[in-house]
Amino acid sequence: MSTRSRAALLSAMAAVAALTLSACGKGGTSGGGGNTNFVTGNNGIATAPVGKRDAAPDLSGTTIDGKTLDVASFKGQVVVVNVWGSWCSPCREEAKYFAKVSQSYAGKGVQFVGINTRDTSTTPAVNFEKEHGITYPSLYDPTGKLMLRFKKGTLNPQLIPSTLVIDRQGKVAARALEALDDTTLLKMLQPVLAEK
Protein backbone atom coordinates (compact mmCIF):
# COMPACT_ATOMS: atom_id res chain seq x y z
CA MET A 1 0.00 0.00 0.00
CA SER A 2 1.44 3.39 -0.95
CA THR A 3 2.00 6.14 1.60
CA ARG A 4 -0.75 8.24 -0.02
CA SER A 5 -3.24 5.32 0.10
CA ARG A 6 -2.31 4.58 3.70
CA ALA A 7 -2.77 8.26 4.67
CA ALA A 8 -6.15 8.39 2.92
CA LEU A 9 -7.25 5.19 4.64
CA LEU A 10 -6.14 6.46 8.07
CA SER A 11 -7.94 9.76 7.48
CA ALA A 12 -11.15 7.95 6.52
CA MET A 13 -10.84 5.64 9.53
CA ALA A 14 -10.36 8.64 11.86
CA ALA A 15 -13.50 10.30 10.45
CA VAL A 16 -15.51 7.10 10.89
CA ALA A 17 -14.15 6.73 14.43
CA ALA A 18 -15.26 10.28 15.24
CA LEU A 19 -18.70 9.51 13.85
CA THR A 20 -18.78 6.29 15.88
CA LEU A 21 -18.02 8.17 19.10
CA SER A 22 -20.93 10.53 18.49
CA ALA A 23 -23.22 7.85 17.11
CA CYS A 24 -26.62 7.11 18.47
CA GLY A 25 -26.77 10.27 20.50
CA LYS A 26 -29.88 12.18 21.41
CA GLY A 27 -28.88 15.03 19.15
CA GLY A 28 -27.22 18.27 20.01
CA THR A 29 -26.54 21.66 18.67
CA SER A 30 -24.62 22.10 15.54
CA GLY A 31 -24.30 24.85 13.70
CA GLY A 32 -25.79 28.11 12.99
CA GLY A 33 -22.65 30.11 13.76
CA GLY A 34 -19.59 31.06 11.75
CA ASN A 35 -19.82 31.40 7.99
CA THR A 36 -22.52 28.81 7.57
CA ASN A 37 -25.75 29.66 5.79
CA PHE A 38 -28.06 27.73 8.08
CA VAL A 39 -29.80 28.26 11.37
CA THR A 40 -30.57 25.68 14.06
CA GLY A 41 -33.99 26.28 15.58
CA ASN A 42 -34.98 25.41 19.14
CA ASN A 43 -36.66 22.27 17.78
CA GLY A 44 -33.26 20.86 16.76
CA ILE A 45 -33.93 21.28 13.04
CA ALA A 46 -31.29 23.21 11.11
CA THR A 47 -32.47 24.84 7.90
CA ALA A 48 -30.94 26.72 5.01
CA PRO A 49 -32.93 29.27 3.00
CA VAL A 50 -33.50 28.83 -0.72
CA GLY A 51 -30.49 30.24 -2.58
CA LYS A 52 -28.11 29.48 0.32
CA ARG A 53 -28.27 25.68 0.15
CA ASP A 54 -25.45 23.29 -0.69
CA ALA A 55 -25.94 20.55 -3.26
CA ALA A 56 -26.19 17.07 -1.84
CA PRO A 57 -23.13 14.97 -2.72
CA ASP A 58 -23.26 11.80 -4.80
CA LEU A 59 -25.35 9.37 -2.79
CA SER A 60 -25.32 6.22 -4.85
CA GLY A 61 -24.46 2.60 -4.39
CA THR A 62 -25.98 -0.75 -3.54
CA THR A 63 -29.05 -1.07 -1.36
CA ILE A 64 -29.40 -3.51 1.53
CA ASP A 65 -31.38 -5.78 -0.80
CA GLY A 66 -28.67 -5.75 -3.50
CA LYS A 67 -30.14 -3.23 -5.97
CA THR A 68 -28.40 -0.18 -7.42
CA LEU A 69 -29.67 3.23 -6.31
CA ASP A 70 -28.68 6.81 -7.13
CA VAL A 71 -30.46 9.49 -5.08
CA ALA A 72 -29.83 11.99 -7.92
CA SER A 73 -32.40 10.06 -9.97
CA PHE A 74 -35.07 11.54 -7.66
CA LYS A 75 -34.24 15.15 -8.62
CA GLY A 76 -37.53 17.01 -9.07
CA GLN A 77 -38.93 15.35 -5.94
CA VAL A 78 -38.30 16.21 -2.30
CA VAL A 79 -36.06 13.51 -0.83
CA VAL A 80 -35.94 12.59 2.86
CA VAL A 81 -32.66 10.83 3.73
CA ASN A 82 -32.48 9.00 7.05
CA VAL A 83 -29.12 7.69 8.30
CA TRP A 84 -29.68 4.70 10.58
CA GLY A 85 -28.33 1.42 11.92
CA SER A 86 -30.16 -1.65 13.15
CA TRP A 87 -28.02 -1.55 16.34
CA CYS A 88 -29.16 2.01 17.19
CA SER A 89 -32.00 2.27 19.72
CA PRO A 90 -33.07 5.84 18.76
CA CYS A 91 -33.28 4.53 15.17
CA ARG A 92 -35.65 1.82 16.37
CA GLU A 93 -37.74 4.46 18.17
CA GLU A 94 -38.16 6.63 15.08
CA ALA A 95 -38.59 3.85 12.48
CA LYS A 96 -42.38 3.55 12.89
CA TYR A 97 -42.75 7.29 12.24
CA PHE A 98 -40.64 7.12 9.08
CA ALA A 99 -42.69 4.15 7.88
CA LYS A 100 -45.95 6.02 8.55
CA VAL A 101 -44.95 9.35 6.94
CA SER A 102 -43.28 7.70 3.94
CA GLN A 103 -46.42 5.71 3.22
CA SER A 104 -48.74 8.71 3.64
CA TYR A 105 -46.61 10.78 1.20
CA ALA A 106 -46.14 8.02 -1.39
CA GLY A 107 -47.00 9.37 -4.85
CA LYS A 108 -47.03 12.99 -3.59
CA GLY A 109 -43.64 14.13 -4.87
CA VAL A 110 -41.65 12.81 -1.90
CA GLN A 111 -39.11 9.99 -1.92
CA PHE A 112 -37.67 8.50 1.27
CA VAL A 113 -34.21 6.90 1.21
CA GLY A 114 -32.32 5.31 4.07
CA ILE A 115 -28.57 5.07 4.52
CA ASN A 116 -27.80 2.04 6.66
CA THR A 117 -24.45 2.38 8.38
CA ARG A 118 -22.18 0.37 10.67
CA ASP A 119 -24.10 -2.87 10.24
CA THR A 120 -21.51 -5.55 9.48
CA SER A 121 -23.85 -7.32 7.06
CA THR A 122 -27.13 -6.55 5.37
CA THR A 123 -29.03 -9.27 7.26
CA PRO A 124 -29.80 -7.23 10.42
CA ALA A 125 -30.64 -4.21 8.24
CA VAL A 126 -33.12 -6.17 6.11
CA ASN A 127 -34.68 -7.65 9.27
CA PHE A 128 -34.93 -4.16 10.83
CA GLU A 129 -36.84 -2.82 7.81
CA LYS A 130 -39.22 -5.79 7.78
CA GLU A 131 -39.85 -5.49 11.51
CA HIS A 132 -40.62 -1.77 11.31
CA GLY A 133 -42.57 -1.74 8.03
CA ILE A 134 -40.00 0.31 6.11
CA THR A 135 -40.77 -0.04 2.39
CA TYR A 136 -38.44 2.58 0.89
CA PRO A 137 -34.88 1.70 -0.24
CA SER A 138 -31.80 2.00 1.96
CA LEU A 139 -28.25 2.31 0.68
CA TYR A 140 -25.79 0.00 2.44
CA ASP A 141 -22.90 2.07 3.82
CA PRO A 142 -21.20 -0.03 6.51
CA THR A 143 -18.11 2.20 6.84
CA GLY A 144 -19.78 5.62 6.56
CA LYS A 145 -18.26 6.55 3.19
CA LEU A 146 -21.47 8.19 1.96
CA MET A 147 -21.64 10.45 5.02
CA LEU A 148 -18.03 11.53 4.47
CA ARG A 149 -19.00 12.89 1.03
CA PHE A 150 -20.79 15.84 2.67
CA LYS A 151 -18.60 18.94 3.05
CA LYS A 152 -17.81 20.20 6.55
CA GLY A 153 -19.76 23.30 7.46
CA THR A 154 -22.84 22.18 5.55
CA LEU A 155 -26.03 20.50 6.71
CA ASN A 156 -24.21 17.17 6.89
CA PRO A 157 -25.17 14.06 8.87
CA GLN A 158 -23.07 14.02 12.04
CA LEU A 159 -24.85 11.55 14.30
CA ILE A 160 -26.82 8.35 13.98
CA PRO A 161 -29.67 8.86 13.45
CA SER A 162 -29.53 11.94 11.23
CA THR A 163 -32.23 13.07 8.82
CA LEU A 164 -31.86 15.37 5.83
CA VAL A 165 -34.46 16.89 3.54
CA ILE A 166 -33.20 17.52 0.00
CA ASP A 167 -35.19 19.97 -2.11
CA ARG A 168 -36.39 19.43 -5.68
CA GLN A 169 -33.14 20.93 -7.04
CA GLY A 170 -31.00 18.39 -5.18
CA LYS A 171 -29.89 20.77 -2.41
CA VAL A 172 -29.96 20.10 1.33
CA ALA A 173 -32.71 22.22 2.89
CA ALA A 174 -33.00 20.85 6.43
CA ARG A 175 -31.28 18.54 8.90
CA ALA A 176 -32.06 16.95 12.25
CA LEU A 177 -29.42 15.24 14.41
CA GLU A 178 -31.74 13.27 16.65
CA ALA A 179 -34.50 10.70 16.54
CA LEU A 180 -37.72 12.17 15.14
CA ASP A 181 -41.39 11.50 15.66
CA ASP A 182 -43.94 12.06 12.90
CA THR A 183 -44.72 15.64 14.02
CA THR A 184 -41.08 16.77 13.90
CA LEU A 185 -40.46 14.91 10.64
CA LEU A 186 -43.40 16.73 9.06
CA LYS A 187 -42.08 20.08 10.38
CA MET A 188 -38.94 19.38 8.32
CA LEU A 189 -40.69 18.02 5.24
CA GLN A 190 -43.75 20.20 4.70
CA PRO A 191 -42.05 23.62 4.25
CA VAL A 192 -39.70 22.17 1.60
CA LEU A 193 -42.58 20.38 -0.11
CA ALA A 194 -44.54 23.68 -0.19
CA GLU A 195 -41.74 25.45 -2.10
CA LYS A 196 -42.48 26.17 -5.75
Side-chain angles (χ1 to χ4, degrees):
M1 182 181 278
S2 73
T3 303
R4 183 182 291 159
S5 297
R6 189 174 290 118
L9 178 63
L10 289 174
S11 176
M13 288 172 61
V16 170
L19 183 64
T20 300
L21 291 175
S22 64
C24 237
K26 281 304 252 182
T29 56
S30 126
N35 293 327
T36 61
N37 290 316
F38 55 89
V39 177
T40 302
N42 59 9
N43 57 4
I45 299 170
T47 59
V50 176
K52 302 278 187 180
R53 296 174 181 168
D54 291 291
D58 169 38
L59 297 174
S60 62
T62 304
T63 63
I64 61 172
D65 56 357
K67 297 178 179 154
T68 301
L69 177 68
D70 185 350
V71 172
S73 68
F74 300 123
K75 197 168 181 179
Q77 297 184 67
V78 173
V79 180
V80 177
V81 177
N82 179 244
V83 181
W84 63 278
S86 68
W87 45 268
C88 165
S89 42
C91 301
R92 287 192 291 275
E93 290 172 24
E94 72 176 3
K96 63 184 172 192
Y97 301 115
F98 278 79
K100 175 183 170 185
V101 175
S102 68
Q103 289 162 15
S104 66
Y105 277 83
K108 297 180 181 176
V110 179
Q111 175 64 52
F112 279 69
V113 175
I115 297 178
N116 170 257
T117 191
R118 290 184 47 217
D119 273 317
T120 55
S121 80
T122 57
T123 303
V126 169
N127 291 339
F128 177 97
E129 288 197 338
K130 284 181 186 168
E131 179 183 339
H132 295 287
I134 304 286
T135 56
Y136 53 83
S138 283
L139 289 161
Y140 183 52
D141 186 32
T143 60
K145 287 180 183 176
L146 292 177
M147 287 181 284
L148 295 175
R149 291 180 181 173
F150 287 85
K151 288 187 285 185
K152 281 188 173 181
T154 66
L155 291 176
N156 57 331
Q158 298 174 5
L159 298 172
I160 302 165
S162 288
T163 302
L164 307 174
V165 177
I166 300 173
D167 68 19
R168 291 180 182 91
Q169 287 71 47
K171 297 184 175 187
V172 182
R175 175 193 66 192
L177 298 176
E178 60 190 19
L180 302 177
D181 61 16
D182 50 348
T183 303
T184 313
L185 178 54
L186 289 170
K187 280 181 186 171
M188 287 181 72
L189 172 60
Q190 288 173 335
V192 182
L193 191 57
E195 293 172 359
K196 298 296 175 207

